[in-house]
Amino acid sequence: MPHRWNRRTRLLVYWGTAAALAVVVSQALVFTTWQAGYEAWDPEAALVGVTDVLSGQAPPEAATFRFSDVTTDAGIDFVHFPATRSNVLPEDMGSGLAWGDFDDDGLPDLFLANIEGPFSGEGGDGRCALFRNRGDGTFADVTAESGIRCGGIGMAAAWGDYNNSGWLDLYITRHGPNLLFRNNGDGTFTDVSEEAGVTGGPSFSAGAAWGDYTLNGHLDLYVTNFVDFSYEPGEEEQTGFQHGAEVPFTLNPLAYPPQPNYLFRNNGDGTFTEVAAEAGVTNPDGRSLEVVWADFNNNGLPDLYVANDISDNALFVNRGNGTFEDASARALVADYRSGMGLAVTDLEGNGLLDIFITNWVAQRNSFFRNVSLTADASSDRAPLLFLEGADRIGLGAPSLPMVGWSTGFVDLDNSGSPDLWVVNGHTFPQVDDRARLRPQPVQFFRGMPGQPFMEVTAHVQEGRMASLVGRGGAHADFDRDGRVDLAISVHGDRPVLLRNVTPDPGHWLTLRLRQEGWNTRALGARVAIRVGDHVQTAAMGASSSYLSQSPAEVHFGLGEAEVIDELVVHWPDGAIQVEREVTANQLLTLHHVPTYPAAPRPPWMGTLPARANDVPDD
């Protein structure tokens, strides 16, 4: 008797056969399309259909902050890399910018690094620039009279008072010898790079960050190095493929070995000694781009986190004896993607600093939530632990089509919750003009207590924000109206200065710390404020971005609160200062006379609980 199929079996066979035929046909079409036009494949277009349904743009009413492009009105006359790209890596990676009050008048000034011209050295008249904040919404170009000269291929800029004179000095990284300009206190600077010992030699340096890792009151300097780049004419004609796009050999970081990083220890006499190897922080296998100093285990000692491109990121925990432990794998932050920019925040208000990292296209940006329990001063293996959760808080999927660079957490609407901005810009050339890179939007995410971030990019953008080849970026309240603004460095174009024009922001407090004689900007200090049961924590100087720097101050949004119940400052020397009933809507400066340099570490270091915001009893 022949076998008879029931109705269910017949349906399974029918639809199974149809599905199989559909797969065969679709694969044939894909193969034919690939064979016909593989070289013209657009990786961004290929991601459409995957990333667009995941981005989750919020409705217009969710965008509670607004910006206005005031670049021209503010007098920022500057062009980055006024030359034609020649398809080599150093030309495409920079440059950054830095906010810093170099004349100490209470207003953040702006420095812009630059690429003078093509890597070949033929042609180009790009210049770095220093713009002094006039205080009326405009800036004066004071580069010529300042004495700052920085040709070549400029990458990062970082302000820091390395000689404790009270005036901010300027460090600039480059492809080639780096530069240090000492602030003379009269609006001029002196190039002290060679005598200070911080040039770094023939390296391809990227990020730079000041911090006092020895707690002796003298600022030390960590500098990331990217790759050992070499070039012979004609090498750019050798190509490979990245995400299906044809990329010149000279633009692929994997084509070059990584360079070890620098740690310049401040000798206290105007000179530095390079001690990365003996401190254990060379990170020799990392193609390093950015770095941040921050106390991740609340033991009072600044640690290092390094973002690496196509290599494991690195976390170096400060042992307190001049050396660091590589805790990258144990703490679960040895992330192998294409790390570019960094931002640090205490998202949950628990006194623990979390880490956000921007990555390359199709890799998703990263968010490492600090879930450490307590720090153990008796052990050099403090139980640091992080969990990656960018998707959990709404920051993963929207970044898939983007190449992320600079970034920062800051409360843009003064609601009491940090928001996030991300500068994007492709490393692939435009299809119709291979001399120019592909633009991408600046992304904005609104933060709300206990909820995922909402992307409000489509409702915040105006003008060039919607499409630019971004690189550097940093935030600062340049007009001192209590609303934090944003400056963006654009590759091959004019920068963008975005003034925050949020119509109905909440109350706010901006805090500056000053120490007399030692570490004058109190880098490494931890600040906590409490309004009712709501606690916010910030670290002074833990603002890194990508090749860029925000000013050494912290900004808190307060929502409807007009008074801060308690403000607690943990100074770098271990002193704790408590202020109560602090009035909102002011720029507050607190002063401290430190007790270091002193041999013993303050007794509270290493004994703080994870929630580092407890206020000591009177």
Side-chain angles (χ1 to χ4, degrees):
M1 177 181 292
H3 178 73
R4 300 185 64 181
W5 291 345
N6 59 30
R7 183 173 182 271
R8 180 174 179 270
T9 303
R10 290 197 303 270
L11 288 173
L12 287 173
V13 171
Y14 175 82
W15 288 113
T17 303
L21 287 172
V23 170
V24 171
V25 172
S26 64
Q27 291 298 320
L29 287 173
V30 168
F31 178 77
T32 302
T33 303
W34 174 84
Q35 192 174 36
Y38 179 70
E39 292 185 0
W41 184 67
D42 186 344
E44 288 187 87
L47 289 170
V48 175
V50 176
T51 59
D52 57 353
V53 298
L54 296 174
S55 61
Q57 287 277 348
E61 59 269 20
T64 52
F65 43 83
R66 296 288 188 278
F67 292 94
S68 177
D69 185 344
V70 296
T71 312
T72 301
D73 292 341
I76 306 297
D77 185 12
F78 177 89
V79 177
H80 179 266
F81 190 37
T84 301
R85 291 178 59 248
S86 54
N87 285 315
V88 294
L89 200 57
E91 292 177 358
D92 287 2
M93 299 302 294
S95 304
L97 52 83
W99 291 102
D101 185 6
F102 81 89
D103 54 1
D104 204 30
D105 63 353
L107 299 168
D109 309 298
L110 183 62
F111 176 83
L112 292 140
N114 206 346
I115 300 175
E116 185 176 21
F119 185 78
S120 64
E122 299 176 1
D125 57 356
R127 64 181 184 93
C128 59
L130 176 62
F131 291 93
R132 181 176 60 81
N133 192 336
R134 291 191 177 106
D136 60 358
T138 67
F139 292 77
D141 187 341
V142 296
T143 313
E145 53 263 46
S146 73
I148 295 177
R149 303 289 183 271
C150 42
I153 294 179
M155 295 291 286
W159 296 98
D161 183 9
Y162 82 94
N163 57 358
N164 290 323
S165 65
W167 302 97
L168 288 179
D169 312 296
L170 181 64
Y171 189 75
I172 303 167
T173 67
R174 302 190 303 170
H175 179 273
N178 300 323
L179 302 171
L180 176 62
F181 289 93
R182 186 186 64 214
N183 193 331
N184 300 320
D186 59 0
T188 68
F189 292 78
T190 299
D191 186 343
V192 296
S193 314
E194 293 287 348
E195 64 187 75
V198 291
T199 59
S203 54
F204 185 177
S205 295
W210 297 96
D212 180 14
Y213 80 96
T214 58
L215 296 183
N216 64 358
H218 299 290
L219 291 188
D220 311 297
L221 179 65
Y222 192 86
V223 179
T224 65
N225 291 318
F226 191 34
V227 296
D228 188 6
F229 183 83
S230 60
Y231 172 73
E232 293 293 336
E235 285 185 334
E236 71 278 6
E237 297 178 6
Q238 304 175 38
T239 61
F241 286 93
Q242 288 180 301
H243 281 264
E246 190 175 8
V247 177
F249 168 85
T250 51
L251 287 177
N252 187 350
L254 281 175
Y256 305 95
Q259 282 187 328
N261 298 334
Y262 302 135
L263 174 58
F264 295 106
R265 186 185 63 208
N266 195 326
N267 299 322
D269 60 359
T271 68
F272 294 77
T273 301
E274 204 288 297
V275 296
E278 63 187 74
V281 293
T282 57
N283 195 207
D285 298 323
R287 295 171 177 83
S288 303
L289 286 174
E290 195 49 73
V291 60
V292 63
W293 290 100
D295 181 8
F296 293 109
N297 57 3
N298 284 346
N299 69 350
L301 297 165
D303 309 305
L304 282 167
Y305 190 78
V306 181
N308 293 321
D309 187 13
I310 323 179
S311 39
D312 289 342
N313 294 340
L315 171 62
F316 298 107
V317 177
N318 193 336
R319 290 191 175 108
N321 61 0
T323 69
F324 293 76
E325 177 203 1
D326 186 347
S328 315
R330 178 170 52 82
L332 303 183
V333 292
D335 194 28
Y336 188 97
R337 282 181 254 188
S338 297
M340 317 263 213
L342 288 172
V344 170
T345 191
D346 174 18
L347 188 60
E348 297 179 331
N350 60 3
L352 296 171
L353 296 178
D354 312 302
I355 307 169
F356 178 76
I357 309 163
T358 59
N359 294 309
W360 202 57
V361 64
Q363 294 182 347
R364 294 188 308 113
N365 292 338
S366 314
F367 181 79
F368 288 99
R369 183 165 60 99
N370 193 335
V371 296
S372 308
L373 297 177
T374 58
D376 182 2
S378 65
S379 170
D380 63 2
R381 295 180 62 83
L384 266 174
L385 184 63
F386 294 78
L387 294 179
E388 209 287 322
D391 284 325
R392 173 178 172 268
I393 60 171
L395 298 178
S399 66
L400 278 169
M402 303 296 173
V403 177
W405 302 89
S406 294
T407 185
F409 286 103
V410 68
D411 195 342
L412 295 172
D413 54 6
N414 292 334
S415 65
S417 296
D419 307 299
L420 178 72
W421 55 267
V422 181
V423 172
N424 301 298
H426 225 306
T427 55
F428 288 163
Q430 297 181 21
V431 175
D432 57 348
D433 184 359
R434 298 189 65 81
R436 301 183 63 83
L437 297 170
R438 302 184 191 186
Q440 292 184 321
V442 181
Q443 288 179 296
F444 294 92
F445 299 87
R446 177 188 169 192
M448 297 172 292
Q451 299 183 45
F453 283 86
M454 290 196 301
E455 186 180 1
V456 294
T457 301
H459 315 303
V460 173
Q461 295 180 102
E462 71 164 31
R464 288 195 295 147
M465 268 192 294
S467 184
L468 49 82
V469 184
R471 288 297 186 264
H475 54 253
D477 181 9
F478 78 85
D479 53 1
R480 292 304 187 199
D481 66 351
R483 294 173 291 189
V484 179
D485 314 297
L486 178 62
I488 301 168
S489 175
V490 183
H491 188 281
D493 205 341
R494 296 179 299 116
V496 179
L497 179 61
L498 301 176
R499 182 170 179 261
N500 190 328
V501 292
T502 300
D504 188 23
H507 298 291
W508 56 277
L509 176 76
T510 299
L511 179 67
R512 299 191 306 172
L513 301 181
R514 293 290 184 270
Q515 294 191 142
E516 296 184 18
W518 310 99
N519 184 5
T520 60
R521 267 51 177 187
L523 300 187
R526 186 174 61 258
V527 181
I529 65 167
R530 182 178 64 81
V531 176
D533 294 330
H534 182 50
V535 176
Q536 299 182 61
T537 304
M540 191 66 69
S543 178
S544 188
S545 192
Y546 172 77
L547 308 182
S548 302
Q549 183 189 57
S550 294
E553 58 191 37
V554 293
H555 177 89
F556 295 105
L558 304 175
E560 298 180 357
E562 299 181 2
V563 174
I564 296 171
D565 296 327
E566 293 166 328
L567 183 154
V568 184
V569 179
H570 296 270
W571 294 91
D573 68 344
I576 301 177
Q577 181 175 351
V578 181
E579 302 290 335
R580 292 185 169 86
E581 304 299 316
V582 178
T583 304
N585 303 330
Q586 63 166 318
L587 171 64
L588 176 64
T589 303
L590 297 180
H591 295 267
H592 176 62
V593 180
T595 58
Y596 54 64
R601 290 169 56 202
W604 65 274
M605 290 185 177
T607 62
L608 260 64
R611 186 177 181 86
N613 306 312
D614 296 332
V615 179
D617 296 331
D618 290 333

